[in-house]
């Protein structure tokens, strides 16, 4: 189980901040950059997150 952060890909309109990925109502969402701590994601959730980030144009990173 791991935690991830996401942000929009740089398009010249940034700077964009990393925000944690949270799981709400069995859906993956981008949490607030100020208050949310990322949820631990399973392998299945990670695959879903990678697909969503590719489609929506987001960068993602694993949080240690």
């Amino acid at each position: 189980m791991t935690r991830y952060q996401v942000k929009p890909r740089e398009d010249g309109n940034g700077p964009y901040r990393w925000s944690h990925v949270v799981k709400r109502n069995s859906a993956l969402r981008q949490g607030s950059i100020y208050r949310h701590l990322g949820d631990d994601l399973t392998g299945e959730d990670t695959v879903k997150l990678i697909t969503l980030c590719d489609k929506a144009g987001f960068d993602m990173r694993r949080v240690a």
Side-chain angles (χ1 to χ4, degrees):
M1 309 248 304
T2 55
R3 294 182 179 174
Y4 290 92
Q5 291 180 331
V6 295
K7 74 172 184 168
R9 289 197 180 114
E10 293 298 331
D11 59 1
N13 294 326
Y16 298 112
R17 293 183 176 179
W18 291 99
S19 59
H20 290 278
V21 174
V22 295
K23 200 170 181 181
R24 295 291 180 255
N25 300 327
S26 71
L28 299 175
R29 299 180 185 265
Q30 185 177 5
S32 167
I33 61 173
Y34 300 109
R35 292 175 285 182
H36 286 125
L37 182 61
D39 292 331
D40 286 327
L41 302 181
T42 64
E44 185 178 305
D45 292 333
T46 302
V47 171
K48 188 186 301 185
L49 178 62
I50 291 169
T51 304
L52 288 171
C53 286
D54 285 342
K55 287 182 182 176
F58 277 73
D59 291 328
M60 62 179 276
R61 69 180 180 187
R62 184 177 175 179
V63 180

